[in-house]
Amino acid sequence: MILFPQGRPTQRETFDEYCAAGGYDALKKSLSPTAILREISASGLRGRGGAGFPAGRKWAVAAETPATPRYVVCNAGEDEPGSLKDRILIAHRPHLVLEGTILAARAIQAGHAYIYLNETYDDCFNRMDEAVREATAAGLLGSLAVTIHRAPTVYVAGEDSAAIEVVGGKPPLPRQNVETLANVPPIIRNGASWFRTHGTPDSPGTMLFCLGDEMNRPGAYELPLGTSLRYLYENVGNGLKNGAELKAILPGGPSCAFLTNDQLDVPLDQESLKKAGSTLGCGVMRFYSKETCMVEETLRIAQFFARESCGQCPACRMETNMLSVMLERIQQGKADAALFDQFQKIVDFNRGKGYCALINMPGPPILSAIRLFREEFEHHIRQGTCGV
Ligand SMILES: Cc1cc2nc3c(=O)[nH]c(=O)nc-3n(C[C@H](O)[C@H](O)[C@H](O)COP(=O)(O)O)c2cc1C
């Protein structure tokens, strides 16, 4: 694989081990900014932070903008429930992430890079701090300044414009997820066409998928994009604990639409999941057993967004609260079926009306849950209890 060539991360890689395995060779190729940009664009690498935007295009925009100084922010805010991949990458392969950050800075000619790190990740802070010191001592940073900045542990702090507010200033810059940047050194070292031998034509490479504690084998796993959801569920995660039967899947974190158990053959890549009615997000997979009450689960997701809305935009504050209260009324049996029609209207009305994308996030899980598991919602309305 690309990020963990030895398979699952078992030990924490040292500077010497990283260098012995070809680490920093990409940097030592001393490619020009244009050559790095060309290779990243040709590789088809897409952002792993949730939106799947092409990294090459993002970097080209930053490189072409006349404003200076330029900065790179490596986004390790990681407050998405169930996500642990950025932590694993930084804790086990800090130099891979650092080399990717240095290459991104070279590509857009930035003089300063920030590693924006979840403030609870002390282990990562120490590892990255050590890595920066080792790379500096080895003369690998050149004139690039690298600062590790602690990110507040609130969900919205990982949104890119919020991250920039936190590190200060509003310069033109790309904000890249840790995993996106970790793909950069292997691409520069081995070439774009090598990268494209993994994954699919439109979603090349691999991705780290996080499985939760409901699975027999929870953890983060690197798989080629385009691998089937079934393979991840059955062969990697080994199914749900206690032999429970599968009912639903949330394939990309809490802001994506639910899938049902008859959609296990969907390939895990951006295009296939879109066709299946959902999104890949940042690869946090949740699998729900037949015993799960989808009303309770949907309510939990709605409450999460209501809690995590920073409150700055009135539309977001009102939308997230209203959706959560409406679901609570259904869950308690204090609503009638006419309420169902209101969800779509509220979501449509508020779409795009916030400073960030959080306002768009509760729609897909809530609307898909109501559509796919309508009888469970109706049962709650009638009885105020679960029908499962
Ligand atoms: C509410 C919210 C929270 C987010 N949290 C994170 C996060 O913790 N880490 C991250 O990399 N991206 C997060 N994102 C996505 C970023 O805004 C941005 O798209 C990403 O960092 C870009 O990197 P990429 O192009 O490498 O994917 C979040 C977005 C939103 C709307």
Side-chain angles (χ1 to χ4, degrees):
M1 293 290 170
I2 295 171
L3 304 176
F4 292 102
Q6 266 81 48
R8 293 214 60 199
T10 45
Q11 59 181 40
R12 299 174 164 220
E13 188 178 51
T14 64
F15 176 64
D16 290 341
E17 285 164 351
Y18 183 64
C19 293
Y24 289 110
D25 282 1
L27 196 59
K28 287 177 191 158
K29 279 188 164 183
S30 300
L31 294 187
S32 67
T34 321
I36 298 173
L37 282 176
R38 206 182 310 123
E39 206 63 29
I40 295 301
S41 294
S43 75
L45 175 65
R46 298 170 71 146
R48 307 291 197 244
F53 193 79
R57 233 190 292 160
K58 188 195 253 190
W59 294 18
V61 169
E64 280 159 18
T65 180
T68 53
R70 299 193 182 124
Y71 303 84
V72 167
V73 178
C74 170
N75 190 348
E78 194 161 66
D79 227 353
E80 180 106 1
S83 185
L84 44 98
K85 60 192 191 140
D86 294 347
R87 179 177 207 158
I88 288 179
L89 265 172
I90 294 178
H92 290 83
R93 306 207 66 199
H95 283 286
L96 179 68
V97 178
L98 182 58
E99 188 182 4
T101 306
I102 301 170
L103 284 162
R106 183 177 286 176
I108 68 153
Q109 298 179 62
H112 201 144
Y114 289 90
I115 314 281
Y116 181 70
L117 189 61
N118 183 308
E119 66 183 348
T120 64
Y121 289 1
D122 284 334
D123 52 340
C124 292
F125 187 92
N126 295 335
R127 290 286 285 154
M128 191 48 90
D129 187 48
E130 188 186 21
V132 171
R133 278 190 279 110
E134 287 164 340
T136 307
L140 293 163
L141 290 187
S143 59
L144 180 71
V146 179
T147 306
I148 309 174
H149 197 100
R150 293 202 186 243
T153 46
V154 287
Y155 185 50
V156 81
E159 191 274 332
D160 52 10
S161 58
I164 288 145
E165 292 294 323
V166 176
V167 294
K170 289 177 185 165
L173 71 176
R175 308 60 114 154
Q176 299 284 158
N177 170 262
V178 168
E179 188 184 343
T180 317
L181 288 171
N183 278 284
V184 171
I187 291 171
I188 298 297
R189 197 162 60 231
N190 305 312
S193 34
W194 165 84
F195 185 70
R196 283 185 171 279
T197 60
H198 302 81
T200 70
D202 290 325
S203 293
T206 60
M207 187 149 167
L208 288 171
F209 294 100
C210 297
L211 300 182
D213 285 337
E214 71 274 19
M215 302 297 290
N216 281 313
R217 283 202 290 256
Y221 299 91
E222 185 180 6
L223 294 172
L225 283 157
T227 302
S228 78
L229 184 51
R230 183 182 299 286
Y231 183 84
L232 178 66
Y233 174 70
E234 289 177 359
N235 300 58
V236 178
N238 204 21
L240 286 164
K241 278 191 176 139
N242 305 319
E245 230 184 297
L246 180 67
K247 171 157 72 178
I249 307 125
L250 205 51
S255 59
C256 73
F258 284 99
L259 299 176
T260 48
N261 56 5
D262 56 355
Q263 290 178 290
L264 273 182
D265 292 315
V266 172
L268 292 167
D269 60 74
Q270 307 276 354
E271 298 68 38
S272 305
L273 274 162
K274 201 166 162 204
K275 244 183 261 161
S278 191
T279 41
L280 190 57
C282 64
V284 176
M285 298 277 152
R286 294 305 307 269
F287 293 92
Y288 299 95
S289 75
K290 284 257 152 74
E291 286 78 50
T292 310
C293 169
M294 297 312 291
V295 180
E296 308 268 357
E297 189 51 35
T298 310
L299 174 59
R300 256 195 295 279
I301 291 172
Q303 287 171 334
F304 169 75
F305 287 119
R307 198 170 57 240
E308 297 296 335
S309 168
C310 75
Q312 182 182 204
C313 308
C316 179
R317 193 172 63 231
M318 283 192 290
E319 180 210 43
T320 52
N321 266 316
M322 203 182 292
L323 293 171
S324 153
V325 168
M326 283 159 62
L327 283 166
E328 205 175 354
R329 292 187 68 78
I330 292 176
Q331 183 241 359
Q332 293 171 350
K334 293 179 182 162
D336 61 53
L339 198 59
F340 285 132
D341 298 335
Q342 298 307 312
F343 286 96
Q344 183 78 57
K345 287 182 190 155
I346 290 171
V347 168
D348 289 345
F349 180 78
N350 287 291
R351 187 168 296 120
K353 290 194 177 147
Y355 282 148
C356 84
L358 192 134
I359 197 164
N360 306 331
M361 290 179 151
I366 295 175
L367 297 175
S368 63
I370 293 174
R371 184 169 38 83
L372 297 169
F373 308 105
R374 177 76 172 226
E375 69 291 356
E376 292 190 35
F377 286 81
E378 283 171 351
H379 189 281
H380 260 272
I381 284 186
R382 282 194 308 275
Q383 318 263 335
T385 57
C386 304
V388 292

